[in-house]
Amino acid sequence: MKLLIVANWKCHPKTLREAKLLFNSIIKGVKDIDAEVVICPPFVYLPVLKATGAQDVFWENEGAYTGEISPAMLKNLGLKYVIVGHSERRKYRGETDVMINQKVKASLAQGLKPILCIDKISQIPDNLGKGAVIAYEPLFAIGTGQTCGIEKAKKMRLAIKRRVGAKTLILYGGSVSSHNAQEYIMGAGFQGLLVGGASLRPKEFVDIIKNVCYR
Ligand code: PGA
């Protein structure tokens, strides 16, 4: 099975010009590599870049919800994946497990694959639908350069697998770099990666992908 490598650009970059440059250099760098690479830019760049992932979504498909972007809109734009429940949205936007689970359900109902970010098993809903992806992101490792030990990561992956079954893809995220990526895939057995900071540096991001794919 192909590895799933997701780039979470967060609130970067500031101009469309930079976004195009970054996007194109990543695409060029990975064109001969056998992995599923999904880039999640800010919403405003999605239609121009024809990216396949978004960083968030609302739970209703349309209506009087100022500022929201719906699963139907993303699906109709040709997207395949959407990150939900990222720890930064939990922290800065007050998203709760209830809200996040609504987003997971609404995305699946539109045929979008939600990438549900968690740092605790209890954040996984009881009936996670088919097609959802889990990203284990230990809070202390997100954007800090501090890495999670391989044994701990592996233990969590196995606990998540017991909870969601073997058919659900499980990714690792949190300060992934070209130096540690292999350990999470080959050592801890994750089926892909969710990469933040390093996905803004095209060479580093492409190196991460090469390091886990050419094995
Ligand atoms: P990081 O971010 O790679 O910069 O730690 C990961 C994430 O927030 O998804």
Side-chain angles (χ1 to χ4, degrees):
M1 183 185 274
K2 278 190 193 182
L3 294 173
L4 174 61
I5 316 289
V6 183
N8 175 13
W9 285 3
K10 309 193 182 191
C11 192
H12 302 284
K14 279 189 278 202
T15 66
L16 176 59
R17 191 174 162 275
E18 289 169 278
K20 281 184 185 165
L21 283 172
L22 180 54
F23 190 85
N24 292 336
S25 31
I26 294 173
I27 295 300
K28 201 169 147 205
V30 301
K31 73 174 186 313
D32 297 322
I33 301 176
D34 193 27
E36 181 160 16
V37 179
V38 175
I39 301 174
C40 304
F43 284 127
V44 288
Y45 303 140
L46 282 174
V48 179
L49 300 180
K50 296 194 172 52
T52 51
Q55 297 175 19
D56 182 40
V57 69
F58 191 50
W59 54 77
E60 297 289 348
N61 280 319
E62 61 180 345
Y65 306 108
T66 302
E68 297 293 355
I69 306 286
S70 81
M73 291 172 190
L74 296 181
K75 180 69 184 175
N76 292 332
L77 212 55
L79 271 80
K80 203 166 159 192
Y81 290 92
V82 59
I83 297 170
V84 294
H86 191 280
S87 64
E88 286 150 14
R89 296 202 61 85
R90 295 177 193 260
K91 181 173 168 193
Y92 299 118
R93 306 302 298 270
E95 290 195 10
T96 62
D97 286 341
V98 172
M99 292 157 83
I100 293 160
N101 294 344
Q102 282 180 275
K103 294 179 178 205
V104 169
K105 283 204 185 104
S107 301
L108 287 169
Q110 285 298 311
L112 277 172
K113 289 173 183 281
I115 301 168
L116 171 62
C117 300
I118 61 149
D119 82 315
K120 295 187 217 56
I121 300 281
S122 61
Q123 291 165 334
I124 303 174
D126 281 341
N127 295 307
L128 183 71
K130 205 169 130 240
V133 175
I134 299 283
Y136 168 54
E137 298 207 300
L139 287 186
F140 67 86
I142 299 179
T144 57
Q146 275 184 47
T147 48
C148 176
I150 298 307
E151 282 315 310
K152 179 181 168 170
K154 186 173 178 179
K155 238 172 141 177
M156 266 307 275
R157 182 184 68 77
L158 292 171
I160 296 167
K161 187 176 165 190
R162 277 195 297 277
R163 177 77 189 259
V164 297
K167 287 195 184 128
T168 301
L169 285 186
I170 307 173
L171 316 183
Y172 176 80
S175 296
V176 172
S177 71
S178 58
H179 303 288
N180 61 33
Q182 275 196 338
E183 297 177 38
Y184 293 107
I185 303 293
M186 280 74 135
F190 286 89
Q191 294 145 306
L193 302 165
L194 177 51
V195 186
S199 72
L200 297 165
R201 301 194 298 279
K203 184 179 177 313
E204 172 68 1
F205 186 58
V206 171
D207 281 349
I208 289 174
I209 299 169
K210 286 183 177 163
N211 287 355
V212 294
C213 289
Y214 296 151
R215 23 185 180 152

Coordinates of all heavy atoms in Angstrom, one line a residue, residues 8 10 83 86-88 117 137 141-145 173-176 194-198, ligand 1:
N8 N 0.8 20.0 5.8 CA -0.1 21.0 6.4 C 0.6 22.4 6.4 O 1.5 22.6 7.3 CB -0.5 20.5 7.8 CG -1.3 21.6 8.6 OD1 -1.8 22.5 8.0 ND2 -1.4 21.4 9.9
K10 N -0.6 25.1 7.2 CA -1.1 26.1 8.3 C -1.4 27.4 7.6 O -1.8 27.5 6.5 CB -0.1 26.1 9.5 CG 0.2 24.7 10.0 CD 0.9 24.7 11.3 CE 1.3 23.3 11.6 NZ 1.7 23.1 13.0
I83 N -8.2 17.9 6.7 CA -7.7 17.7 8.1 C -8.8 18.2 9.0 O -9.4 19.3 8.8 CB -6.4 18.6 8.3 CG1 -5.3 18.1 7.4 CG2 -6.0 18.6 9.8 CD1 -4.1 19.0 7.4
H86 N -7.4 19.5 14.2 CA -6.0 19.8 14.5 C -5.9 20.5 15.8 O -6.7 21.3 16.2 CB -5.4 20.7 13.4 CG -3.9 20.8 13.5 ND1 -3.3 21.7 14.4 CD2 -2.9 20.1 12.8 CE1 -2.0 21.5 14.3 NE2 -1.7 20.6 13.3
S87 N -4.8 20.2 16.5 CA -4.7 20.7 17.9 C -4.7 22.3 18.0 O -5.1 22.8 18.9 CB -3.4 20.2 18.6 OG -2.3 20.7 17.9
E88 N -4.2 22.9 16.9 CA -4.3 24.4 16.9 C -5.7 24.9 16.8 O -6.0 26.0 17.3 CB -3.4 24.9 15.7 CG -1.9 24.7 16.1 CD -1.0 24.5 14.9 OE1 -1.4 24.7 13.7 OE2 0.2 24.1 15.1
C117 N -7.1 14.5 13.6 CA -5.9 14.6 14.4 C -6.2 14.4 15.9 O -7.1 15.0 16.4 CB -5.3 16.0 14.3 SG -4.8 16.4 12.6
E137 N -0.8 12.9 16.7 CA 0.1 14.1 16.8 C 0.3 14.4 18.3 O -0.6 15.1 18.9 CB -0.4 15.3 16.1 CG -0.6 15.1 14.6 CD -0.4 16.4 13.8 OE1 -1.3 17.3 14.1 OE2 0.5 16.5 13.0
A141 N 5.1 17.6 20.5 CA 5.9 17.5 19.4 C 5.5 18.4 18.2 O 6.2 18.6 17.2 CB 6.0 16.0 18.9
I142 N 4.4 19.1 18.4 CA 3.9 19.9 17.2 C 4.6 21.2 17.2 O 4.4 22.0 18.1 CB 2.3 20.0 17.3 CG1 1.7 18.7 17.3 CG2 1.8 20.9 16.2 CD1 0.2 18.7 17.3
G143 N 5.3 21.4 16.1 CA 6.0 22.7 15.9 C 7.1 23.0 16.8 O 7.5 24.2 16.9
T144 N 7.5 22.0 17.6 CA 8.5 22.3 18.7 C 9.9 21.8 18.3 O 10.9 22.3 19.0 CB 8.1 21.6 20.0 OG1 8.0 20.2 19.7 CG2 6.8 22.2 20.5
G145 N 10.0 20.9 17.4 CA 11.3 20.3 17.1 C 11.6 19.2 18.1 O 12.6 18.5 18.0
G173 N 2.4 12.6 13.1 CA 2.7 14.0 12.9 C 3.3 14.6 14.1 O 3.0 14.2 15.3
G174 N 4.2 15.6 13.9 CA 4.8 16.3 15.0 C 6.3 16.4 14.8 O 7.0 15.4 15.1
S175 N 6.8 17.6 14.3 CA 8.2 17.8 14.1 C 8.8 16.7 13.2 O 10.0 16.3 13.5 CB 8.9 17.9 15.4 OG 8.5 19.1 16.1
V176 N 8.1 16.3 12.2 CA 8.7 15.3 11.3 C 9.7 16.0 10.4 O 9.5 17.1 9.9 CB 7.6 14.7 10.4 CG1 8.2 13.8 9.3 CG2 6.7 13.8 11.2
L194 N 2.0 13.4 8.7 CA 1.4 14.7 8.6 C 2.5 15.7 8.9 O 3.0 15.7 10.0 CB 0.2 14.8 9.5 CG -0.5 16.1 9.6 CD1 -0.9 16.6 8.2 CD2 -1.8 16.0 10.4
V195 N 2.9 16.5 7.9 CA 4.1 17.3 8.1 C 3.7 18.8 8.1 O 3.1 19.2 7.1 CB 5.1 17.0 6.9 CG1 6.4 17.8 7.2 CG2 5.3 15.5 6.8
G196 N 4.1 19.5 9.1 CA 3.8 20.9 9.2 C 4.9 21.8 8.7 O 5.2 21.9 7.5
G197 N 5.7 22.3 9.6 CA 6.8 23.2 9.3 C 7.7 22.8 8.1 O 8.0 23.6 7.2
A198 N 8.1 21.5 8.1 CA 9.0 21.0 7.1 C 8.4 21.0 5.7 O 9.0 21.0 4.7 CB 9.5 19.6 7.4
Ligands
PGA1 P1 5.0 20.3 12.6 O1 3.4 20.3 12.5 O2 5.5 19.3 11.6 O3 5.4 21.7 12.3 O4 5.3 19.9 14.0 C1 2.6 19.2 12.4 C2 1.2 19.6 12.4 O5 0.9 20.5 13.1 O6 0.4 18.9 11.7

